[in-house]
Amino acid sequence: MELVTLNSQFIAIIIVLLFSFIAFAFDDTHENFLQCLYHNNSTGISKLVYAKTNSSYPSILQSSIQNLRFSYHNTPKPLIIVTPLQPSHVQATIICSQLHSLQIRIRSGGHDYEGLSYVSQVPFIIIDFINYREIQVDVENRLAWVQVGATVGELYYNIGTKTKTLAFPAGVCPTVGVGGQFSGGGYGYLVRKYGLAADNIIDAHIIDAKGRFLDREAMGEDLFWAIRGGSGASFGVILAWKIRLVPVPSTVTLLTAPRTLEQNATKLVHKWQSVASKLDKNLALTLTLKTVNSSINKGELTVQALFGGLFLGGVDKLVPLVQKSFPELGLAKEECSEMSWIEFTLYSWGFGGQPLEVLLNRSQVNTDSFKAKSDYVRDPIPESGLEGLWRLMFEDEAQGLLLVFFPFGGIMSEIPESKIPFPHRGGVLYQIQYNLHWQEKGEEIAERRIDWMRKLYSYMEGFVSKSPREAYLNYRDLDIGVNNINGYTSYEQASIWGDKYFKNNFERLAHVKTKVDPLNFFRYEQSIPTLLSKV
């Protein structure tokens, strides 16, 4: 008994010493990295670097965390946060990170659904582009340069304050950074008319693994192809995008038509599936599903199907168009509102009637935790399948669930799957985003909620795309597969998740990765693998 106690004490001492050694090693790495950074760059970078000992470190780290399940005390934290102002700051950070075996996480808006822009299980630093967000809009030539730290809202504001007849087909949420969104595809209400944000990128600036500053000409067409929808952070650190602005009429129309189960929502949703992707490409007729209190059966829940969207034109053209193709909806003129495109960007995010400056507010971060997944639907879900979905939505764990059905078709069906890495084009009726939010704190609650989302995802398997079951990169989901963080990941292993995001484009992405980053410096849980053997 005494011997057992002695062994236990000895083991405890060894564990303490081991952790002390690890902590010392991290401190040593931290100091060596900083010395390298300051030695390699003399243009004021010291004022842009935040170590854990810096009083501003916590606020900088928390400033762009958009999912609170990655803000617990035991969530891995970066050794250093670098907030660059110019390319040389990024170049020095890349060089020094490689010298001292630190991984890099790249954050523009912090909306990575799995927190990968600010969390890692191995020693890492964050390059946070919070200060790198200049936007230059050229109305005459319908072009703009936008640095990756800018948000979608800031981009829309800069366009909308200069012209009412130009826009850009990016996403809906104004606080999403353009660095991550555009490199994963990026879609919104203009997708059926003009395609993805990535479809409308015509140049880019990137720092590669060798620390070189490259534009489109210097990087070559293979790399330029890869970073537009293929996970830019797998290939380097993108600094800025040159984008093509698109024309919109001075008057557009917002459509908002809620219907519940008591108002025949099941049949309406079923019909919508066959209609929305075939409508005039000037109309994006979206569908949002959630549970609400029934106004007919007091004390009970019902499912609300909110038919909404954007029409590039006036209400007098919109109503007859919908009545012809989707008369069952019974769209009334009172459910439509005319406005400018920039005003629509406010209304679509719940800021209707507020000044445009609200688009510049970067502090509108999420105050809850969430888990998201995605699917693509190529054949309509039968009414029986929808009724099974409603039953799941009534379960206790579904509280806070939001389902967004976004129609494709239009120009998306005309663009080849291989034009850029984003492959979900012809034959797709609509995309589904599953989003479950909760306010309660704690890992046990989070795991229970995530398990329920997996249950919902499993139920939907028979109704969505197959071989592969497609997924959207920007709705990051580690459930579908991950790389080996501390070791080599084969192409075959990575294909488990890569085929879902990229389909037949995944192999080409791996070839580009092998060419531009053969030592796989830019890696994370779902980064593009190399085709080389272990190095």
Side-chain angles (χ1 to χ4, degrees):
M1 186 69 177
E2 196 172 328
L3 181 61
V4 172
T5 302
L6 181 61
N7 286 341
S8 298
Q9 291 173 342
F10 178 74
I11 291 171
I13 291 171
I14 293 298
I15 291 174
V16 170
L17 289 174
L18 179 61
F19 276 100
S20 298
F21 174 77
I22 292 172
F24 175 79
F26 279 3
D27 286 342
D28 193 43
T29 299
H30 156 268
E31 290 300 328
N32 288 338
F33 172 81
L34 288 178
Q35 290 178 17
C36 175
L37 201 61
Y38 300 154
H39 175 74
N40 278 276
N41 195 292
S42 59
T43 54
I45 196 172
S46 61
K47 298 179 181 179
L48 307 169
V49 176
Y50 301 86
K52 291 182 177 179
T53 54
N54 189 302
S55 60
S56 297
Y57 173 94
S59 61
I60 295 293
L61 178 61
Q62 293 290 329
S63 64
S64 296
I65 292 181
Q66 303 285 355
N67 190 344
L68 294 193
R69 68 184 174 101
F70 300 114
S71 63
Y72 299 142
H73 69 280
N74 59 344
T75 300
K77 306 294 192 298
L79 297 179
I80 304 287
I81 303 172
V82 181
T83 58
L85 288 174
Q86 57 193 52
S88 64
H89 298 156
V90 177
Q91 291 170 309
T93 302
I94 291 174
I95 292 169
C96 293
S97 295
Q98 292 182 77
L99 287 174
H100 297 287
S101 301
L102 292 171
Q103 284 194 8
I104 286 177
R105 291 293 187 263
I106 305 165
R107 184 166 74 172
S108 53
H111 278 268
D112 188 296
Y113 279 13
E114 296 282 14
L116 299 187
S117 63
Y118 51 88
V119 174
S120 175
Q121 300 301 319
V122 298
F124 73 109
I125 67 165
I126 292 177
I127 298 179
D128 191 325
F129 283 104
I130 184 69
N131 297 320
Y132 202 90
R133 56 183 203 260
E134 182 181 346
I135 299 170
Q136 299 175 344
V137 176
D138 180 351
V139 173
E140 182 178 354
N141 293 302
R142 297 183 177 181
L143 300 171
W145 271 104
V146 51
Q147 293 181 337
V148 293
T151 63
V152 170
E154 289 171 333
L155 174 60
Y156 288 170
Y157 176 86
N158 275 268
I159 298 171
T161 53
K162 293 179 174 63
T163 172
K164 302 299 183 184
T165 56
L166 290 177
F168 188 70
V172 178
C173 177
T175 57
V176 175
V178 304
Q181 185 184 92
F182 293 7
S183 68
Y187 76 95
Y189 286 100
L190 294 174
V191 69
R192 302 189 65 250
K193 177 75 170 182
Y194 294 114
L196 308 167
D199 290 325
N200 292 277
I201 293 170
I202 57 177
D203 203 345
H205 292 160
I206 187 173
I207 307 294
D208 70 1
K210 295 180 180 179
R212 298 176 298 183
F213 177 94
L214 307 172
D215 61 7
R216 178 175 181 172
E217 182 179 3
M219 76 177 78
E221 288 304 300
D222 281 346
L223 181 53
F224 184 62
W225 173 85
I227 62 175
R228 292 175 295 153
S231 172
S234 292
F235 304 96
V237 180
I238 299 167
L239 301 179
W241 304 108
K242 186 178 184 181
I243 58 176
R244 179 191 304 107
L245 304 183
V246 299
V248 292
S250 57
T251 298
V252 304
T253 303
L254 166 72
L255 183 158
T256 307
R259 305 288 188 266
T260 63
L261 294 183
E262 295 85 350
Q263 296 171 308
N264 211 24
T266 301
K267 290 190 179 299
L268 292 176
V269 171
H270 183 255
K271 177 64 180 293
W272 174 91
Q273 297 178 93
S274 302
V275 170
S277 65
K278 298 180 178 63
L279 291 168
D280 187 306
K281 64 179 64 174
N282 289 301
L283 173 59
L285 181 60
T286 64
L287 174 61
T288 304
L289 302 171
K290 64 179 181 179
T291 55
V292 298
N293 293 321
S294 174
S295 59
I296 297 175
N297 301 310
K298 301 299 183 181
E300 295 184 10
L301 291 176
T302 188
V303 173
Q304 181 193 78
L306 176 61
F307 298 89
L310 168 69
F311 176 63
L312 299 177
V315 65
D316 289 340
K317 291 185 178 179
L318 170 62
V319 173
L321 189 157
V322 175
Q323 288 177 343
K324 177 182 178 181
S325 301
F326 194 11
E328 296 87 347
L329 181 61
L331 180 66
K333 192 171 183 179
E334 293 71 29
E335 295 174 310
C336 306
S337 301
E338 293 184 342
M339 59 191 68
S340 67
W341 168 79
I342 191 62
E343 289 172 329
F344 174 85
T345 67
L346 293 174
Y347 275 89
S348 64
W349 195 246
F351 295 150
Q354 298 188 41
L356 292 183
E357 283 69 24
V358 72
L359 294 170
L360 303 177
N361 187 354
R362 299 177 67 101
S363 64
Q364 297 162 350
V365 296
N366 287 325
T367 58
D368 53 15
S369 300
F370 68 90
K371 172 64 179 178
K373 290 179 174 292
S374 62
D375 265 317
Y376 289 88
V377 177
R378 293 176 175 272
D379 297 293
I381 301 172
E383 289 187 28
S384 59
L386 294 174
E387 289 165 351
L389 175 59
W390 309 153
R391 288 191 291 270
L392 283 171
M393 292 176 67
F394 290 137
E395 294 184 357
D396 291 341
E397 294 298 340
Q399 184 178 357
L401 177 69
L402 193 69
L403 304 181
V404 181
F405 290 13
F406 209 101
F408 276 22
I411 197 173
M412 290 294 283
S413 296
E414 302 168 13
I415 299 174
E417 288 189 358
S418 60
K419 180 189 175 185
I420 63 173
F422 181 100
H424 319 289
R425 306 282 191 172
V428 172
L429 300 181
Y430 60 95
Q431 176 188 267
I432 302 177
Q433 178 182 185
Y434 312 88
N435 214 313
L436 181 65
H437 289 253
W438 61 92
Q439 296 282 346
E440 306 94 328
K441 297 180 180 179
E443 294 183 10
E444 183 179 342
I445 292 172
E447 194 56 40
R448 190 174 74 241
R449 289 303 201 102
I450 293 171
D451 282 344
W452 187 89
M453 275 288 276
R454 292 169 180 152
K455 174 183 175 181
L456 171 63
Y457 190 69
S458 178
Y459 170 78
M460 293 295 290
E461 183 175 6
F463 307 115
V464 298
S465 60
K466 301 172 180 64
S467 300
R469 182 175 183 177
E470 300 170 52
Y472 178 37
L473 178 65
N474 279 355
Y475 296 155
R476 180 87 64 189
D477 182 9
L478 297 185
D479 287 348
I480 67 175
V482 295
N483 296 336
N484 300 320
I485 298 304
N486 291 309
Y488 172 70
T489 301
S490 69
Y491 173 81
E492 290 71 22
Q493 179 183 342
S495 295
I496 294 172
W497 57 264
D499 288 347
K500 295 178 175 66
Y501 287 142
F502 305 113
K503 299 177 65 178
N504 293 332
N505 294 328
F506 187 56
E507 184 175 0
R508 182 179 175 187
L509 285 169
H511 278 285
V512 176
K513 172 71 171 182
T514 304
K515 178 181 178 181
V516 304
D517 185 20
L519 298 181
N520 198 24
F521 171 64
F522 292 107
R523 66 186 184 274
Y524 53 91
E525 286 81 351
Q526 287 183 342
S527 59
I528 304 299
T530 66
L531 294 173
L532 302 177
S533 59
K534 185 175 181 180
V535 292

